[in-house]
Amino acid sequence: MVFVLVALVTAVFSWVIGFFVRRLAPALDAVDHPTVGRKIHTRPIPLLGGVAPFLATALVLIAYALFSGQIGLPTLTDTHIATKHIIGVAIAALVLIVGGFFDDRYSLKPWQQLIAPFVAIGIVIASGIGVSELSHPFGGPPIKLETSNILLFWWNGLPRYFTLWSDVITILWLLGMMYTTKLLDGLDGLVSGMTVIGSLTIGLLSILFFVNIPTALLAFVVAGAFFGFLPHNMHPAKIFLGEGGSLLAGFLLGVLSIMSGAKFATALLVLGIPILDAVWVILRRVCIEKRSPFVGDRGHLHYRLLDAGLSHRAAVFLLLAIASTFGSAALFLQTQQKLLALGVLAILMIILVSVLIKNEQRSMGERDPFTRT
């Protein structure tokens, strides 16, 4: 009940803050104007929506840290998580929000957009968060990521090291999660809904099987923050997450999966369809179309669902239903079974995309009979 209550309080905070951000964004000229191409909204929509779940999460965690011990509740740093970890995640999240504001306001170049994510990842690693081991895919003992440490600097009397394999995997994982949710942010409420499902799955997993109470609490707070933002973000959206918010969603999911014990397979099952879609889109742009992967188009799965005739909400609910199904399965599957489920998910993705492409080709042929083969 404590987790549910904390999540509900965070949701209310996020919902209330959302109203203020909706007024603030136009005043700062952080607005997404409709243009010809892949954008589907027909009127200017405020950006900076990620500020609402960020502030709600920060406020609740600060309040909980100050008063939980006084009223007999488990504290954030009882086990598994140190104070420096919480501070590191908070500062990194702030970096993403600030970087996202500059992109929303000034439309940064692709290489400039990479600055905030890499700085945020560096802060998290410097705070001591990283992947120390991986579950063995065939049921053996965990794979330790121990290697020689490289001393980088001293901070507060303590050494800070670069641990090769641990830090490389952490960088790749967090970067991949952030850009998955960034590329997914094309339909109203989709990324927010995915973040709610993903964080709840990690939270329940932490409670039921690994007794990792601080991570579970963080996960429920994140779920509440994005759930409270959903009324502002569902179709027709009154505000978008913006660059910072879409990156923040993937960042928090990535950090939670590391803190819960490198539960990568669980996160992959929830975000499996978007991740596979992102990989396919990037490979298509680079290898087939020979162009930059950073230039958007309507080749994403969620746009294809709209082109196939689904309504905006129906497309979102379909993708959220798939994520919920595989996320629920992750609660009861072992590592080997999760890998099998990932294979099923990949097959489902291939079938879905193939059907949609065939449908598009059939529609084009019906519109122009000379293109039929």
Side-chain angles (χ1 to χ4, degrees):
M1 289 303 297
V2 171
F3 298 113
V4 174
L5 180 60
V6 169
L8 290 175
V9 171
T10 312
V12 171
F13 278 16
S14 183
W15 178 68
V16 172
I17 295 170
F19 288 101
F20 292 96
V21 179
R22 282 165 53 180
R23 292 180 176 272
L24 175 65
L28 297 175
D29 197 24
V31 177
D32 192 358
H33 297 277
T35 56
V36 177
R38 65 192 184 97
K39 294 186 178 180
I40 56 179
H41 55 285
T42 57
R43 58 184 178 83
I45 304 292
L47 296 166
L48 302 183
V51 172
F54 166 72
L55 287 179
T57 299
L59 289 173
V60 169
L61 289 180
I62 290 171
Y64 191 91
L66 290 175
F67 301 109
S68 60
Q70 300 178 19
I71 57 178
L73 295 176
T75 66
L76 283 170
T77 56
D78 276 349
T79 56
H80 299 87
I81 299 177
T83 301
K84 63 180 182 178
H85 296 160
I86 304 296
I87 295 173
V89 172
I91 295 175
L94 179 60
V95 168
L96 292 175
I97 292 297
V98 173
F101 163 73
F102 282 103
D103 186 50
D104 291 339
R105 176 65 179 80
Y106 300 106
S107 298
L108 301 179
K109 297 177 181 178
W111 71 266
Q112 294 172 323
Q113 296 173 359
L114 290 170
I115 295 175
F118 273 105
V119 171
I121 293 172
I123 292 171
V124 163
I125 291 175
S127 74
I129 295 175
V131 183
S132 59
E133 63 180 34
L134 297 173
S135 299
H136 199 289
F138 302 109
I143 302 171
K144 301 291 184 179
L145 299 176
E146 296 177 352
T147 185
S148 57
N149 295 329
I150 302 172
L151 179 63
L152 295 179
F153 56 88
W154 287 76
W155 176 263
N156 198 25
L158 296 174
R160 290 292 181 265
Y161 296 99
F162 176 79
T163 306
L164 181 60
W165 291 115
S166 174
D167 290 346
V168 167
I169 291 176
T170 301
I171 292 168
L172 294 176
W173 173 250
L174 292 179
L175 202 61
M177 292 294 287
M178 282 191 277
Y179 273 84
T180 294
T181 50
K182 172 184 166 69
L183 293 173
L184 181 65
D185 193 22
L187 298 184
D188 300 346
L190 184 54
V191 168
S192 299
M194 286 283 189
T195 307
V196 173
I197 294 169
S199 51
L200 280 179
T201 301
I202 293 173
L204 290 172
L205 203 62
S206 298
I207 294 173
L208 297 175
F209 300 102
F210 300 101
V211 200
N212 190 337
I213 300 302
T215 300
L217 180 63
L218 282 172
F220 273 80
V221 168
V222 171
F226 281 88
F227 182 77
F229 179 70
L230 266 175
H232 301 288
N233 194 223
M234 286 298 292
H235 185 72
K238 303 169 187 67
I239 186 171
F240 291 154
L241 277 170
E243 175 80 1
S246 62
L247 291 173
L248 177 68
F251 170 77
L252 291 174
L253 287 176
V255 168
L256 285 172
S257 62
I258 292 175
M259 285 183 166
S260 61
K263 302 305 171 188
F264 292 171
T266 300
L268 288 174
L269 281 174
V270 175
L271 289 177
I273 291 291
I275 290 172
L276 292 170
D277 178 57
V279 171
W280 158 245
V281 167
I282 291 172
L283 290 176
R284 173 177 54 80
R285 291 173 184 172
V286 174
C287 300
I288 299 176
E289 300 175 1
K290 308 296 183 183
R291 63 184 181 88
S292 170
F294 300 106
V295 179
D297 56 30
R298 288 183 64 89
H300 286 284
L301 176 61
H302 45 271
Y303 290 126
R304 292 185 185 276
L305 290 173
L306 294 183
D307 294 338
L310 268 67
S311 68
H312 197 119
R313 291 200 174 206
V316 171
F317 286 136
L318 173 62
L319 294 174
L320 293 182
I322 294 174
S324 298
T325 301
F326 282 90
S328 299
L331 296 175
F332 307 102
L333 299 178
Q334 300 300 318
T335 300
Q336 290 175 290
Q337 296 169 324
K338 288 179 183 178
L339 293 177
L340 180 61
L342 285 171
V344 172
L345 195 60
I347 294 172
L348 176 62
M349 175 69 179
I350 293 171
I351 293 173
L352 187 57
V353 170
S354 299
V355 170
L356 292 173
I357 291 176
K358 288 284 187 182
N359 181 70
E360 291 175 8
Q361 292 173 343
R362 188 181 303 111
S363 299
M364 291 176 61
E366 290 173 355
R367 287 194 298 267
D368 184 1
F370 296 102
T371 63
R372 295 180 180 174
T373 58

